[in-house]
Amino acid sequence: MSRCYGRRAVLRGVGAAAAGAVGGGLVVGTAAASHGGDDADAEEGLFAVHELSATDAALTDAARSDGDAYLVASDGTVLRHTDRWETVTADGPTGNSHTLTAAATTQFDEDVWVGGDGGALAEYDPEDGSFTDHSATAGIDSSVTDVAAVEADDTKRVYVADESGVVTVGVGGEDEPPAAWTWNQFTPGSGSTIPDFDTYCRHGMHVVDTNGAAFEACGCPAHRGKGGLSWSRIGVDDADVNYFGVASHGPVLRHENCGMARRPGGATVVGGNGTVLTGDANGWRRFSVGDATLRDVVAYKHDQVFGVALGDAGTAAQFVLPPRGSTAAPQVHRFDLPVEETLHGLTHDDEFGVVIPADDGAVVTTTVDVPQKAVSVLD
């Protein structure tokens, strides 16, 4: 086990499978993409598009629990896919139809956490169909932009990012009510919006903000306590675009400074003008996959960096970045998706494979074999 569970925990094999097929070159195959579902418009090929009848609002994020995909929408709708798309709630966890912008589950694929406008934060239990509202106790004053959750030793740890540049960390027991949870808040940067983060172990993450900054959080024993973290800026110098997505490459080796069981293995950052950067505090490499703004990325590193970036105008691009020091150019393949809407994250579903939510209530699915990334809850 090499990595902990982040919000985009589904793409650990796609780059390696494609890059290793023929001498390291990218190879894109085809597969029949015909599945049942709500108004499925399946096509022969790599991708299919499903227009949902439950909502025509933007689908803003996705998560997986017990093999089922969950989607959240800008009108407060939460959807679940079993053998069909079902509406968990049509008006938000608390009934006020707050815009929902983030969804996550722990590494055990259990309860689903959702967040959104006005600091809305709730935990959904698929077994009994109930929501537990954490909004009041978490004390988040700004709209939620991202959420991640991990669990170990009957303790849950939840990370929440918001538009005010704050990361809120909550720690609570398996059966503890919201009032018993402990919450701490951190501002890694200047207070600019944090659109995305990704965890690389139970106590560490990478964060980007809209001021062109990337940060690394360290959860060494001296800072843990009830969610304690220390922060360091790791880039990116001379940023000339806004950043909207980040993927941790996972932890490697032992941290030489503070004794963590694992240290961060770098990150990939995406943003405006099709920009992709990969690196760490020692330096960054930059390339482009087109002109559209990129909103999300999943990536991992095994000598080379493999990843997929998603963004505006139906942009989806797969890339392979050679090892540092290589003179070879990055390999990039732009997928021809049958949608022009902005893509927001991705997750895995037992029936569909990969599920990608998009604006206007559209869902893109693909039958490409994409295993989930490994899970670690190491200290």
Side-chain angles (χ1 to χ4, degrees), residues 40-53:
D41 180 18
E43 300 179 358
E44 291 294 320
L46 198 60
F47 298 92
V49 181
H50 307 256
E51 299 291 342
L52 304 183
S53 61

Side-chain angles (χ1 to χ4, degrees), residues 129-143:
S130 66
F131 280 97
T132 300
D133 185 16
H134 288 262
S135 304
T137 53
I140 301 169
D141 297 325
S142 187
S143 294

Side-chain angles (χ1 to χ4, degrees), residues 311-322:
D312 292 358
T315 298
Q318 183 185 74
F319 57 86
V320 179
L321 186 64

